[in-house]
Amino acid sequence: MTYRDAVLLLMFAVQGMAFATTAGDTDAAERARIERSRAQAEARFLAEESACYQKFAVNACLEAAKGARRQTLGTLRREENQLNDARRKRDAAARLEDIAERSSPETLQRAQERRDRALEASGRRTQRLQAIEAARGASAAEAPRPPRQAPPAGKAASAADNAGATAQENKFTEAQRRKDRRDKKRADKNKPPAAPLPDPR
């Protein structure tokens, strides 16, 4: 896509934006007009530039076309800056109005009332939760516990003896394995060296 095609596309897009603006939105309409004028200035410059290459004094013609474009774009830039300044002033005035409204006595009174209602609701919730917890604690304390049944004396003693004997056997077996491994390592260290291989000659 060439520069000229891009400018033409921009012109058509700006014209479409201009149709989309409403009658009451003068700021957007002015911005659309500026963009449309800017696109027209670029298109006019491209047309003049291509015409300059057909003339004898090309450089003088190009300088005149660039000067005209620069002047038009400068005017449009100043208009756009004025619109930006006006919008900034409107936004600042709206912010100041919003701050003044938020800091008005009526607004502060409403905010205090909302805070008081929220605190009151939170206090009621806390009281309900405490009452529920107290009721749970009281019902748990009042509930009778079933008596613990002791296991029969013979069975408990035999189970404990069996567990102790099994643990003792496991310890003894592990100790025996360690001793056997240690003895095997010592025996391997004390072996005489292997006989040398016969001479291949």
Side-chain angles (χ1 to χ4, degrees), residues 7 11 37-50 65 68-69 72:
V7 169
M11 275 180 48
S37 298
R38 188 173 284 142
Q40 288 171 352
E42 290 294 335
R44 190 170 43 252
F45 170 73
L46 290 174
E48 289 173 2
E49 182 183 37
S50 64
R69 180 180 69 162
T72 303

Side-chain angles (χ1 to χ4, degrees), residues 167-185:
Q168 188 74 19
E169 286 175 19
N170 288 342
K171 285 182 182 178
F172 179 74
T173 307
E174 183 61 33
Q176 187 63 40
R177 278 193 211 127
R178 282 196 305 265
K179 183 178 178 285
D180 290 344
R181 281 192 298 248
R182 191 174 53 242
D183 290 343
K184 186 173 185 267
K185 282 183 182 178

Side-chain angles (χ1 to χ4, degrees), residues 130-144:
Q130 287 173 347
I132 291 169
E133 288 296 322
R136 283 184 187 160
S139 65
E142 291 173 2

Side-chain angles (χ1 to χ4, degrees), residues 3 6-19 21 26-44 69 72-81 83-84 87:
Y3 183 71
V7 169
L8 291 175
L9 281 175
L10 178 65
M11 275 180 48
F12 289 130
V14 168
Q15 287 174 351
M17 286 174 23
F19 290 128
T21 59
T26 56
D27 187 51
E30 276 298 305
R31 289 182 188 282
R33 181 193 61 78
I34 289 171
E35 285 301 317
R36 192 170 51 250
S37 298
R38 188 173 284 142
Q40 288 171 352
E42 290 294 335
R44 190 170 43 252
R69 180 180 69 162
T72 303
L73 293 180
T75 302
L76 294 173
R77 192 175 308 112
R78 282 190 294 279
E79 290 175 7
E80 191 173 31
N81 287 340
L83 286 174
N84 291 339
R87 183 171 56 184

Side-chain angles (χ1 to χ4, degrees), residues 73-186:
L73 293 180
T75 302
L76 294 173
R77 192 175 308 112
R78 282 190 294 279
E79 290 175 7
E80 191 173 31
N81 287 340
Q82 288 173 352
L83 286 174
N84 291 339
D85 288 342
R87 183 171 56 184
R88 275 194 293 276
K89 287 176 184 174
R90 281 194 310 271
D91 291 346
R95 278 195 300 274
L96 288 174
E97 185 178 323
D98 186 41
I99 290 169
E101 183 180 320
R102 274 191 267 155
S103 62
S104 71
E106 296 85 17
T107 307
L108 294 175
Q109 178 65 29
R110 284 194 301 268
Q112 183 62 41
E113 289 171 2
R114 280 196 301 271
R115 278 194 296 273
D116 292 343
R117 283 195 301 269
L119 286 172
E120 187 178 320
S122 174
R124 284 195 303 264
R125 262 195 311 274
T126 304
Q127 288 174 352
R128 279 197 305 267
L129 288 173
Q130 287 173 347
I132 291 169
E133 288 296 322
R136 283 184 187 160
S139 65
E142 291 173 2
R145 291 186 179 174
R148 264 179 71 185
Q149 294 181 354
K155 285 186 180 177
S158 65
D161 290 342
N162 285 342
T166 305
Q168 188 74 19
E169 286 175 19
N170 288 342
K171 285 182 182 178
F172 179 74
T173 307
E174 183 61 33
Q176 187 63 40
R177 278 193 211 127
R178 282 196 305 265
K179 183 178 178 285
D180 290 344
R181 281 192 298 248
R182 191 174 53 242
D183 290 343
K184 186 173 185 267
K185 282 183 182 178
R186 282 185 187 154

